[in-house]
Amino acid sequence: EADIYQTPRYLVIGTGKKITLECSQTMGHDKMYWYQQDPGMELHLIHYSYGVNSTEKGDLSSESTVSRIRTEHFPLTLESARPSHTSQYLCASSDEVSLIDTQYFGPGTRLTVL
Amino acid sequence: AQTVTQSQPEMSVQEAETVTLSCTYDTSENNYYLFWYKQPPSRQMILVIRQEAYKQQNATENRFSVNFQKAAKSFSLKISDSQLGDTAMYFCAFMKVGLYNFNKFYFGSGTKLNVKP
């Protein structure tokens, strides 16, 4: 399996709390991604990064923010969690071999906001 | 915009039999790649197989093969000799070759495959 890690795996938290979802990879990949995945639904890209100090918003609007201070670390922060944020959040990184990105996914964080 | 459709939310297959998962996509792009990812229960999503759109030959990886029909925008996954370990959610994904060296991925809603003993 790929060397990409997410913590926590499960989080139940009350409305209004600030949370940070951690994502780390040890493969030295420049590109990293955050996806949001509701049960039985497709993955939606919410943030991505080309490399250190580079972050962009994805196709799905999200109230979360990300940072990329180190290559291996790409945390996602919600300043004030709401029930609508309840979802699974998947982090991924990719290498590029002959123009093809192969994405490696973390195990995900299942977030429940009460 | 790119869309990926997996019309089979759930499928079952007997161990050792063959099953085909369907995927269609919509795009106006000519340069793209297609992927099948597998997400076992409570485990990480992993790449199963990928196909370059410019290649006519269907990709094959051991028991996994695809039927890529570019004109029909269809990309089905065939699993031969199904094993219990194949039980998972399978996601079809489309990768658009983007600007500035960034390639965007679009995923289908997934097909839950249950391999029965």
Side-chain angles (χ1 to χ4, degrees), chain B residues 94-107:
Chain B
F94 170 100
M95 188 194 87
K96 170 186 172 183
V97 179
L99 297 175
Y100 310 115
N101 202 34
F102 187 82
N103 303 321
K104 277 192 175 181
F105 283 77
Y106 300 86
F107 287 83

Side-chain angles (χ1 to χ4, degrees), chain B residues 8-114:
Chain B
Q8 304 150 316
E10 193 163 352
M11 296 185 72
S12 293
V13 64
Q14 290 295 132
E15 195 175 8
E17 293 188 347
T18 295
V19 64
T20 299
L21 281 58
S22 66
C23 173
T24 58
Y25 58 94
D26 187 24
T27 184
S28 57
E29 303 287 329
N30 198 45
N31 186 18
Y32 56 88
Y33 300 83
L34 296 162
F35 303 80
W36 278 98
Y37 281 88
K38 168 185 176 182
Q39 187 177 37
S42 301
R43 294 183 63 189
Q44 290 169 248
M45 189 178 299
I46 57 174
L47 177 68
V48 175
I49 197 167
R50 66 186 182 200
Q51 173 82 40
E52 295 89 334
Y54 62 85
K55 287 188 177 179
Q56 291 184 336
Q57 186 173 5
N58 289 325
T60 299
E61 287 286 341
N62 301 314
R63 298 182 296 106
F64 299 88
S65 62
V66 299
N67 182 6
F68 174 47
Q69 302 289 327
K70 190 172 184 178
K73 296 180 182 175
S74 170
F75 183 60
S76 61
L77 174 70
K78 186 171 84 171
I79 305 174
S80 304
D81 186 25
S82 297
Q83 300 176 1
L84 296 178
D86 295 334
T87 292
M89 281 287 287
Y90 286 82
F91 291 93
C92 178
F94 170 100
M95 188 194 87
K96 170 186 172 183
V97 179
L99 297 175
Y100 310 115
N101 202 34
F102 187 82
N103 303 321
K104 277 192 175 181
F105 283 77
Y106 300 86
F107 287 83
S109 56
T111 296
K112 185 177 181 181
L113 178 66
N114 184 28

Side-chain angles (χ1 to χ4, degrees), chain A residues 85-97:
Chain A
H85 297 138
T86 294
S87 188
Q88 171 153 267
Y89 293 84
L90 289 174
C91 179
S93 69
S94 69
D95 61 4
E96 185 177 314
V97 178

Side-chain angles (χ1 to χ4, degrees), chain A residues 29-46:
Chain A
H29 291 167
D30 286 328
K31 298 176 188 176
M32 295 190 74
Y33 314 76
W34 276 102
Y35 291 90
Q36 187 172 337
Q37 181 187 25
D38 292 323
M41 302 293 288
E42 60 265 44
L43 283 69
H44 291 287
L45 181 68
I46 51 175

Side-chain angles (χ1 to χ4, degrees), chain A residues 1-66:
Chain A
E1 294 188 349
D3 297 323
I4 181 164
Y5 310 97
Q6 289 184 245
T7 57
R9 292 291 308 278
Y10 302 92
L11 179 63
V12 180
I13 200 165
T15 297
K17 299 291 185 183
K18 177 180 178 179
I19 59 168
T20 296
L21 308 185
E22 301 288 349
C23 175
S24 296
Q25 50 96 5
T26 58
M27 297 172 283
H29 291 167
D30 286 328
K31 298 176 188 176
M32 295 190 74
Y33 314 76
W34 276 102
Y35 291 90
Q36 187 172 337
Q37 181 187 25
D38 292 323
M41 302 293 288
E42 60 265 44
L43 283 69
H44 291 287
L45 181 68
I46 51 175
H47 296 283
Y48 59 93
S49 169
Y50 293 100
V52 172
N53 294 324
S54 154
T55 62
E56 300 286 343
K57 287 190 178 293
D59 295 323
L60 181 67
S61 175
S62 174
E63 294 166 343
S64 58
T65 59
V66 293

